[in-house]
Amino acid sequence: MAAMAAPPAPAVQQPVAPPARAPYGDAKSSGGNVQVAVIQFGAGSAGLTGNDFAVLQKVAEMQRNNRATVRIVAHAQQDASGSSADQAARANYEVSRQRALAVANQLLRLGVPANRIAAEAASDEEPAYETNTARGIAANRRAEIFVEF
């Protein structure tokens, strides 16, 4: 009897641009939404590290224990520069999209159902941190993770 290949993991929907001001932008609980983690990224990167995997394991456990929805809002601020502001915004949006997908796909691998993951990408016209310092720019390279109870 021939071995059967495992079915492919369900794909996460491509992140969409959030409304002008995403309702998940603060770190406080509001209406059943709680920010539970922030994943930081290097410039132009969507790569996850060992520490990120450990954090996402805890998020997956929290989701399973509460049957919650996990919302990911990925950001990029000044990660790309182009010959125009429009090109830089498009490039930053693409980096944000890749970050949201990296987090969402890892949560899928950890057993979070695809219908319990919502991913958003933002190019950040309103950054959370000052963008006139290297530290502020680095802090804006993030994916915020919320659990909706």
Side-chain angles (χ1 to χ4, degrees):
M1 179 185 239
M4 294 181 63
V12 174
Q13 268 189 310
Q14 293 291 317
V16 296
R21 185 83 170 138
Y24 305 99
D26 65 16
K28 300 174 187 169
S29 171
S30 65
N33 303 315
V34 179
Q35 184 177 18
V36 296
V38 175
I39 303 290
Q40 295 294 149
F41 294 91
S45 172
L48 298 170
T49 67
N51 187 50
D52 299 334
F53 294 122
V55 168
L56 293 175
Q57 177 66 44
K58 291 183 186 287
V59 171
E61 289 171 19
M62 186 180 302
Q63 185 281 326
R64 280 190 299 275
N65 292 338
N66 297 288
R67 293 199 260 179
T69 296
V70 178
R71 179 168 301 277
I72 303 153
V73 182
H75 303 267
Q77 179 63 34
Q78 295 184 358
D79 274 9
S81 58
S83 59
S84 72
D86 188 48
Q87 287 175 327
R90 280 195 305 268
N92 280 334
Y93 175 79
E94 178 59 23
V95 171
S96 296
R97 190 185 71 77
Q98 291 172 5
R99 289 173 179 166
L101 283 174
V103 172
N105 286 327
Q106 181 59 26
L107 289 170
L108 273 174
R109 284 185 210 97
L110 293 168
V112 176
N115 67 344
R116 291 296 189 169
I117 299 173
E120 298 176 8
S123 182
D124 277 352
E125 291 182 15
E126 296 180 33
Y129 301 96
E130 291 182 28
T131 58
N132 57 356
T133 66
R135 178 180 260 181
I137 292 168
N140 284 315
R141 296 181 182 124
R142 70 199 186 282
E144 298 172 312
I145 303 169
F146 300 86
V147 174
E148 298 176 350
F149 296 99

